[in-house]
Amino acid sequence: MLVFIFGVYAFTFGSVRLPWKLTVSGWRARVASLFLMAPLPILILLGRVVGQGVDEQTALSFYGIMELVIVLLGILGAGLFSYITRPKDEEIIQGED
């Protein structure tokens, strides 16, 4: 849920400072925020599908593993997208003048 809230913040304000001295703003922040917001609806749908016709204990263990994997993939996707689309040093210097 915290990842989703962080994604909503990034989408709303369009600017996020990441821990490794990288600031993402504009359309890059909004696209990265979609990676952060996507796991919640995916997990809700997955929970509804997995919960039908399966033993409850099996469904819970599968859902727990998939929750971790999907959230980590969302964070990894947002981080990779932010890193790949970051402005180069030359662009930053030229933009300041």
Side-chain angles (χ1 to χ4, degrees):
M1 193 65 166
L2 291 175
V3 173
F4 183 81
I5 292 170
F6 187 72
V8 169
Y9 175 84
F11 191 81
T12 303
F13 295 105
S15 180
V16 176
R17 181 177 300 277
L18 300 174
W20 46 89
K21 297 181 182 178
L22 176 66
T23 301
V24 181
S25 61
W27 68 272
R28 292 177 185 98
R30 289 186 170 89
V31 172
S33 71
L34 294 177
F35 282 102
L36 297 175
M37 291 188 293
L40 184 64
I42 291 171
L43 289 170
I44 290 172
L45 290 174
L46 183 66
R48 305 219 357 107
V49 170
V50 169
Q52 296 177 354
V54 179
D55 179 34
E56 184 177 332
Q57 187 63 28
T58 305
L60 286 177
S61 65
F62 174 76
Y63 188 74
I65 293 169
M66 289 308 297
E67 179 179 8
L68 179 65
V69 169
I70 290 173
V71 169
L72 288 176
L73 284 175
I75 293 170
L76 181 65
L80 275 171
F81 177 81
S82 301
Y83 182 77
I84 290 170
T85 61
R86 75 189 185 285
K88 306 294 182 242
D89 291 335
E90 298 84 35
E91 294 175 12
I92 295 172
I93 294 170
Q94 291 173 358
E96 290 178 358
D97 290 351

